[in-house]
Amino acid sequence: MSPLDISLADLIARLDEELPAADELARISEARLRAQTLSDLGDQLIDHYVSKAKQTGASWTEIGDAIGVSKQAAQQRHAPGPFERYTNLNRHSIVLAQEAARTYRHDSIGTEHLLLGLLGEPQGLAYELLLAKSESERRVRDAIEAAMPPAGEKALRGHIPFRPESKEAIEQARGAAAGLGHDWVGTEHTLLGLIRAGDSPAARILRDLGFTWDELRETVRTEIAERSAAREKE
């Protein structure tokens, strides 16, 4: 029994289908990017269940045993981080931002990458808000593309750090969630964080699209309240 409903053949077939004209060297580069994305998602999958285990009272020793590492290694690797309260959709948007930075061969993750990550998660509320304001996903993508720095020369390996303005946006997202009384950080909160990230590329793009902090915050508040009320009626 496979632990995942996916196989190597599936991954190869999808890559070949999406890059029919690419040579084998180009496919190697793309395969490496996708492998890193799978690794990032795997780490977040483990983090999710580590958090659940801690909530039920499991010790770091027990968690380390379940992972197959020492207590100290488990605690260092899976201790609460900046994305602890992020929803799965929002975590995925961060993975997509990392993948975008690798695709462009950038050595850091900017707010433009974070915004592109939100646009790549169509199930998130941020995506709905972006399309409602811009009336076109293409318009948003074009604005992000225009704000992207030139592509780097070398493909990057390993961890890609966040730029200072991206760290500020992440901190602002947590603050926005807390200010609205939400105990989670969703894609909508990241959108709020991005518009508060000073004069960053994403903040400029959002303002050019017609967003303002006050209006966006009220829209998020209203949307969440309406969805909560709808769920209670089900």
Side-chain angles (χ1 to χ4, degrees):
M1 176 179 175
S2 172
L4 291 175
D5 187 19
I6 190 171
S7 68
L8 176 60
D10 294 331
L11 295 172
I12 292 172
R14 180 172 176 179
L15 194 154
D16 288 346
E17 179 182 349
E18 293 179 3
L19 300 175
D23 61 24
E24 298 309 318
L25 293 177
R27 295 186 189 200
I28 289 174
S29 297
E30 180 63 22
R32 189 189 65 79
L33 291 172
R34 297 188 184 199
Q36 185 62 57
T37 298
L38 288 171
S39 176
D40 291 340
L41 285 171
D43 287 343
Q44 292 191 19
L45 177 65
I46 296 172
D47 287 345
H48 172 80
Y49 285 106
V50 167
S51 177
K52 292 288 187 182
K54 288 299 295 180
Q55 291 173 13
T56 62
S59 68
W60 282 113
T61 298
E62 293 171 322
I63 291 171
D65 289 342
I67 297 173
V69 299
S70 68
K71 166 188 173 182
Q72 290 77 12
Q75 193 166 11
Q76 290 174 5
R77 172 61 185 83
H78 298 284
F83 307 119
E84 179 188 11
R85 293 188 295 114
Y86 271 43
T87 63
N88 289 337
L89 293 179
N90 206 15
R91 287 173 182 263
H92 187 230
S93 80
I94 297 296
V95 170
L96 294 175
Q98 295 168 338
E99 184 176 2
R102 287 194 175 90
T103 298
Y104 282 91
R105 299 189 295 277
H106 293 157
D107 59 5
S108 59
I109 300 170
T111 58
E112 63 274 23
H113 300 108
L114 293 175
L115 186 56
L116 192 59
L118 293 178
L119 199 62
E121 184 42 82
Q123 296 183 59
L125 177 54
Y127 178 88
E128 296 181 24
L129 297 176
L130 284 167
L131 260 64
K133 179 66 73 171
S134 67
E135 300 181 350
S136 167
E137 180 179 329
R138 185 71 263 168
R139 182 186 176 194
V140 184
R141 287 193 180 277
D142 286 346
I144 297 172
E145 291 284 346
M148 283 285 183
E153 296 182 357
K154 295 182 179 180
L156 300 176
R157 298 180 181 275
H159 174 70
I160 301 179
F162 290 95
R163 292 181 203 154
E165 63 267 26
S166 296
K167 293 180 180 179
E168 179 187 354
I170 291 168
E171 183 62 33
Q172 290 282 359
R174 292 200 297 267
L180 289 167
H182 301 156
D183 59 2
W184 73 92
V185 182
T187 61
E188 62 277 12
H189 302 116
T190 294
L191 194 63
L192 283 166
L194 287 172
I195 201 170
R196 290 294 291 269
D199 195 36
S200 68
R204 292 196 299 270
I205 290 170
L206 293 173
R207 288 195 294 267
D208 288 344
L209 290 173
F211 284 101
T212 66
W213 160 260
D214 290 336
E215 180 186 7
L216 179 57
R217 187 174 186 271
E218 189 57 34
T219 299
V220 169
R221 183 201 302 275
T222 301
E223 285 288 338
I224 295 299
E226 290 178 353
R227 294 181 184 204
S228 296
R231 283 196 296 269
E232 290 176 0
K233 292 180 180 179
E234 292 177 354

